Amino acid sequence: MAYKAPEHYHVKVRVYNNEIAFGKGVAELLRRIAATGSLSAAYKSMGMSSSKAWKILRHAEADLGFALVHGSTGGVSGGGTVLTDEGRQLLERYTAFDMAVQQAAERAFAKYFK
């Protein structure tokens, strides 16, 4: 059988201190929270359960050592969830880092397999 080069590749980008805690899923949840001002709207739009959303947020916060979101409950304005300054900064840096890694991976894949 003759060698046939792979046609596709996949690179996962995750950042953490001690345990794998922040990657594509948490980043997307934060993006949707920022866009909607609501954790509930964010996880529902992703087809995620409330318990899963809270679990991944708390796991990431525990590993990173800072809060990613801040929520307020009910009241006249109805409450909501916003990114903390640290959460927003992490999301921006993660997004830029992921983009750079994906671009580097595309160049390397083309070099070695195309």
Side-chain angles (χ1 to χ4, degrees), residues 6-114:
E7 297 177 11
H8 307 283
Y9 71 96
H10 178 79
V11 174
K12 278 187 181 181
V13 176
R14 298 184 281 190
V15 297
Y16 58 96
N17 287 319
N18 298 306
E19 293 184 30
I20 295 173
F22 191 96
K24 181 179 169 182
V26 182
E28 184 59 27
L29 184 60
L30 292 184
R31 280 187 201 96
R32 292 179 188 219
I33 290 169
T36 64
S38 168
L39 174 59
S40 177
Y43 68 70
K44 286 177 183 175
S45 71
M46 293 175 71
M48 185 183 292
S49 70
S50 171
S51 60
K52 173 73 173 180
W54 279 110
K55 180 181 176 182
I56 65 173
L57 281 174
R58 295 300 173 233
H59 180 75
E61 289 176 339
D63 180 71
L64 296 166
F66 55 86
L68 298 171
V69 297
H70 173 73
S72 59
T73 56
V76 176
S77 61
T81 304
V82 296
L83 302 188
T84 62
D85 289 341
E86 296 86 356
R88 185 172 311 284
Q89 187 176 83
L90 176 66
L91 180 59
E92 289 170 0
R93 289 179 179 201
Y94 173 83
T95 301
F97 176 59
D98 182 47
M99 194 177 310
V101 168
Q102 297 303 331
Q103 290 169 350
E106 181 64 34
R107 288 189 302 273
F109 185 77
K111 177 179 178 179
Y112 294 105
F113 292 104
K114 298 283 179 172

